């Protein structure tokens, strides 16, 4: 008697990931659609030889949509949306491997792999001159105001110029890189009157100024390791006559009269002369005609 026995494969094994825990560093300037983790690294096997169905989810709120897999049967993970280090620098993803489709009513065995993504800041921004103001709380753009100073005509100063709103100073906004900044004058320096210290940004005079014309210097801040990352600031230097005397008031004491019940911005009148507005004036011997 010949008996033929057929052994049926029962779905009694769960899928197994080769690497159930993966950590990957991703530069923030990675291009969209770039593969982050290969299919081979993320594939799971099943002793029952079932087809594996994959699903990728994130465990961190507001960080969805940045990473995805190529397909339900292809777990290769790729970048789906551009990264920004200032928005977040790490996230955790869960990759599920099932031996039945997610919508299947049949009993399903599932395995889970944990993927930790570390975002690395890239050198994406040019130097910022300080102080600067960020636009609409956008951390990627910071607008600085022009610097200003003044020098006396026909007078040589050996000290660094005092500037407003502060000294020339720029930083690398990619702060985890924090590249060194060097300074140079690239425009507006007629007759090479001024020079800038490449390391400190201090602005000094090389010679006296003989013309009352103002200067509009263009000072460039450049990253040492990447000369394509640079910014240019405007420095306005006004040329003035030297001031020898402080201003002074014509009178040491001024007396005025106001009337009860007058509205705001009403005139104050001289005491003893209720029809003559009180005027406070100052003089300067350096400018006798003003």
């Amino acid at each position: 008697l010949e008996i033929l026995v057929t052994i049926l494969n029962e779905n009694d094994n769960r899928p197994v990931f080769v690497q159930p825990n993966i950590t990957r560093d991703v530069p923030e300037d990675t291009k969209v659609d770039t593969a982050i983790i290969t299919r081979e690294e993320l594939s799971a096997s099943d002793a029952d030889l079932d087809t594996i169905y994959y699903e990728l989810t994130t465990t961190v709120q507001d960080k969805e949509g940045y990473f995805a897999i190529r397909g339900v049967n292809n777990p290769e993970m790729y970048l789906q949306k551009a990264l920004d280090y200032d928005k977040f620098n790490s996230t955790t993803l869960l990759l599920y491997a099932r031996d039945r489709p997610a919508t299947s009513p049949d009993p399903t065995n599932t395995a889970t792999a944990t993927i930790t993504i570390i975002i690395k800041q890239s050198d994406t921004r040019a130097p910022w001159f300080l102080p600067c103001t960020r636009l609409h709380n956008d951390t990627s753009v910071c607008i600085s105001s022009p610097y200003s100073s003044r020098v006396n005509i026909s007078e040589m100063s050996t000290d660094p110029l005092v500037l407003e709103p502060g000294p020339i100073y720029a930083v690398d906004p990619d702060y985890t890189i924090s590249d060194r900044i060097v300074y140079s004058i690239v425009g507006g320096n007629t007759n090479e009157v001024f020079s800038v210290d490449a390391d400190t940004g201090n602005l000094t005079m090389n010679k006296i100024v003989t013309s009352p014309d103002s200067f509009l210097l263009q000072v460039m801040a450049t990253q040492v390791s990447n000369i394509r990352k640079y910014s240019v600031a405007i420095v306005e230097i006004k040329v003035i006559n030297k001031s020898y005397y402080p201003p002074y008031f014509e009178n040491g004491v001024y007396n005025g009269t106001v009337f009860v019940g007058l509205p705001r911005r009403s005139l104050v009148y001289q005491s003893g002369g209720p029809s003559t507005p009180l005027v406070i004036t100052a003089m300067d011997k350096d400018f006798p005609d003003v």
Side-chain angles (χ1 to χ4, degrees):
L1 177 63
E2 182 178 301
I3 300 176
L4 180 63
V5 178
T6 301
I7 301 175
L8 301 178
N9 187 13
E10 185 175 346
N11 185 21
D12 55 355
N13 292 284
R14 67 175 60 245
V16 176
F17 281 103
V18 176
Q19 300 183 62
N21 294 283
I22 297 178
T23 299
R24 191 59 44 92
D25 293 343
V26 181
E28 69 167 323
D29 61 350
T30 300
K31 294 183 178 179
V32 171
D33 202 47
T34 298
I36 305 300
I37 306 178
T38 65
R39 178 175 185 169
E40 290 71 23
E41 292 177 279
L42 289 177
S43 292
S45 60
D46 189 344
D48 297 318
L49 303 181
D50 293 320
T51 300
I52 305 298
Y53 300 87
Y54 298 93
E55 180 186 4
L56 183 68
T57 64
T58 180
T59 64
V60 185
Q61 190 176 6
D62 299 328
K63 296 181 182 178
E64 302 90 349
Y66 286 93
F67 300 94
I69 57 176
R70 296 293 182 185
V72 68
N73 300 122
N74 181 359
E76 179 184 85
M77 194 177 78
Y78 67 99
L79 184 64
Q80 186 172 243
K81 187 166 66 172
L83 298 171
D84 186 344
Y85 181 87
D86 291 320
K87 291 184 177 179
F88 70 99
N89 52 37
S90 67
T91 188
T92 301
L93 307 169
L94 296 179
L95 180 64
Y96 297 99
R98 300 182 177 91
D99 55 11
R100 295 288 186 273
T103 58
S104 174
D106 298 329
T108 303
N109 294 311
T110 303
T112 305
T114 301
I115 304 170
T116 302
I117 299 294
I118 307 298
I119 311 299
K120 294 295 184 180
Q121 191 171 39
S122 300
D123 191 6
T124 59
R125 293 176 290 190
W128 288 352
F129 281 97
L130 302 181
C132 64
T133 303
R134 293 180 177 179
L135 295 181
H136 312 296
N137 294 322
D138 185 351
T139 58
S140 62
V141 179
C142 201
I143 304 299
S144 60
S145 300
Y147 296 94
S148 63
S149 185
R150 58 186 182 180
V151 296
N152 296 324
I153 193 168
S154 301
E155 182 175 299
M156 181 71 179
S157 174
T158 58
D159 296 327
L161 300 187
V162 178
L163 303 177
E164 295 292 341
I168 295 174
Y169 182 62
V171 297
D172 182 359
D174 300 312
Y175 52 87
T176 63
I177 299 173
S178 192
D179 198 359
R180 188 165 70 90
I181 305 296
V182 293
Y183 305 92
S184 60
I185 299 176
V186 295
N189 194 14
T190 305
N191 297 325
E192 303 296 322
V193 173
F194 301 97
S195 62
V196 65
D197 188 286
D199 295 316
T200 66
N202 286 337
L203 200 62
T204 54
M205 297 183 69
N206 297 324
K207 60 184 74 171
I208 64 173
V209 182
T210 57
S211 168
D213 298 332
S214 297
F215 291 81
L216 285 178
L217 302 180
Q218 295 175 327
V219 177
M220 183 168 69
T222 309
Q223 293 182 201
V224 170
S225 64
N226 187 353
I227 61 174
R228 294 184 179 181
K229 291 290 188 296
Y230 66 89
S231 295
V232 176
I234 299 298
V235 182
E236 181 182 15
I237 300 178
K238 295 181 179 180
V239 181
I240 61 174
N241 292 318
K242 185 174 181 179
S243 178
Y244 293 93
Y245 304 100
Y248 64 93
F249 289 101
E250 288 184 310
N251 299 318
V253 177
Y254 291 85
N255 295 309
T257 299
V258 294
F259 299 98
V260 176
L262 290 178
R264 295 173 58 185
R265 304 184 68 84
S266 296
L267 292 176
V268 177
Y269 293 91
Q270 294 183 10
S271 295
S275 62
T276 304
L278 178 64
V279 179
I280 300 175
T281 57
M283 305 293 290
D284 191 329
K285 292 181 179 180
D286 291 309
F287 305 96
D289 298 329
V290 178

